Amino acid sequence: MSEHTGTSDSKMKRRDFLGSLSAASAVAIGVSKVAVSSLDAAEVAPAGAEIASLGVFPPIGISRVGNSQEWFYAPEVPGVAPRASKVDSKTVKNRSRSRRSGFAFDDEGRVIREITAKEATITWNVRVANTKAAWYGFNNPLDNGPVAPGLPGQRRNQDIAPDKREEMLVIDSGEIPISGANTNRNGDQSEYLLQGTFWHDTPVQLGELRTDDAGRLLVFPGDGDSGTPVADNPIDNFSDNDGWYDDWCDGYIDAEVTFAGQEPISAMHGWVACCGPNFAPETQHSSRCMARFVTS
């Protein structure tokens, strides 16, 4: 995948986002402590503090693909392991979904409270994409150029004309809105699917959106499917197989919050990545996939 969210009009380069993490880190540090312990007085807004800003939490969330109907919430704070993965002969039961909340902060960045559908209308907008087929091969994943001499940056699917690459190779959901409580609760409403096409007209489902009873956003990943619309096109490498796709993805999450009688407020946006199963969830390094966004 590219260094962007996977869309041609991305709001921020992933490299810049991960390089600074300034505002997002403040959110993650403050709110994660809310989730696991009491906050120091300096980190909690005083009673009656006015809302100065809103942010999506966690700022980066991970969903893991799986083809089971069973699922669980992905970890929302560092150091907390998810429920252990299970596998039988046909099913990967490691299907975790990312839950996103909106939190309010005062003018000094201190946490006020979580905002739910009980006190405001929250409209979530999600856009994800898989751009692997249009990006560089794993011999030199990014466009390092002179920084990585001897490792030529060769793009996948080089036979596709430059003006057709995005149309044919980028699987883009477009921006999908969802709001309210318990929306698409059973996952049977097609308007909340995160899906795009590959190679002109091959549909690929990247996931789906739901909300819980408090209006929090739930991002469900895909099933972990891959395939090719090209005839007589066997896999010949662990990666970089031209004409193939998978349903891993990443992208951005926006939230617009409207309190009664007030103008809408846009929250600081977050990110979501839907990647592979994690069969060693207790190991600390597993959380590092947040900063890699690599598809296989």
Side-chain angles (χ1 to χ4, degrees):
M1 300 180 73
S2 74
E3 66 168 338
H4 298 279
T5 59
T7 60
S8 59
D9 56 347
S10 302
K11 301 189 174 185
M12 182 189 299
K13 285 186 176 181
R14 183 183 300 128
R15 180 180 297 165
D16 296 338
F17 181 80
L18 295 174
S20 61
L21 283 177
S22 55
S25 294
V27 177
I29 292 170
V31 180
S32 66
K33 291 184 179 180
V34 171
V36 296
S37 65
S38 61
L39 283 167
D40 296 333
E43 297 175 306
V44 179
E50 294 186 3
I51 296 174
S53 63
L54 300 172
V56 174
F57 179 83
I60 302 178
I62 302 295
S63 291
R64 296 188 179 276
V65 300
N67 58 348
S68 172
Q69 293 305 305
E70 300 179 30
W71 52 265
F72 55 92
Y73 289 119
E76 296 173 332
V77 295
V80 177
R83 191 167 62 193
S85 308
K86 300 178 181 178
V87 181
D88 60 29
S89 60
K90 297 181 180 179
T91 308
V92 176
K93 296 183 178 179
N94 187 13
R95 189 184 194 204
S96 63
R97 66 181 184 179
S98 176
R99 177 170 59 181
R100 317 311 285 274
S101 302
F103 275 79
F105 304 88
D106 68 5
D107 57 3
E108 295 185 25
R110 296 172 295 189
V111 179
I112 298 177
R113 64 180 180 276
E114 181 183 13
I115 305 300
T116 69
K118 293 181 179 179
E119 63 172 313
T121 298
I122 306 172
T123 300
W124 302 93
N125 289 284
V126 181
R127 186 179 186 182
V128 296
N130 180 313
T131 65
K132 174 182 175 180
W135 196 232
Y136 288 83
F138 280 159
N139 63 322
N140 187 16
L142 300 178
D143 53 343
N144 292 324
V147 179
L151 295 175
Q154 180 173 306
R155 291 181 182 267
R156 300 176 176 94
N157 296 288
Q158 292 190 73
D159 292 339
I160 305 300
D163 61 342
K164 297 291 184 181
R165 290 183 65 82
E166 183 167 351
E167 173 190 347
M168 292 185 62
L169 304 177
V170 174
I171 306 168
D172 186 352
S173 73
E175 194 165 271
I176 306 298
I178 189 171
S179 63
N182 290 317
T183 302
N184 194 29
R185 182 172 185 173
N186 298 319
D188 54 3
Q189 296 178 245
S190 60
E191 63 264 39
Y192 300 115
L193 290 177
L194 298 169
Q195 59 185 349
T197 58
F198 179 76
W199 218 262
H200 290 308
D201 55 6
T202 299
V204 181
Q205 184 172 329
L206 301 174
E208 65 181 79
L209 304 180
R210 307 184 192 183
T211 63
D212 67 7
D213 56 3
R216 303 182 187 95
L217 174 68
L218 308 178
V219 181
F220 279 75
D223 290 342
D225 290 335
S226 62
T228 177
V230 181
D232 301 320
N233 186 29
I235 290 176
D236 60 9
N237 190 280
F238 84 99
S239 181
D240 300 345
N241 293 282
D242 287 350
W244 280 79
Y245 67 86
D246 60 47
D247 59 1
W248 296 16
C249 64
D250 73 317
Y252 63 81
I253 296 174
D254 282 338
E256 186 175 82
V257 181
T258 305
F259 296 95
Q262 299 183 25
E263 293 295 316
I265 303 172
S266 295
M268 180 179 67
H269 70 270
W271 296 63
V272 64
C274 300
C275 51
N278 178 12
F279 298 116
E282 291 80 11
T283 59
Q284 289 298 310
H285 71 274
S286 65
S287 64
R288 295 304 178 95
C289 83
M290 286 192 294
R292 286 187 173 271
F293 304 94
V294 175
T295 58
S296 63

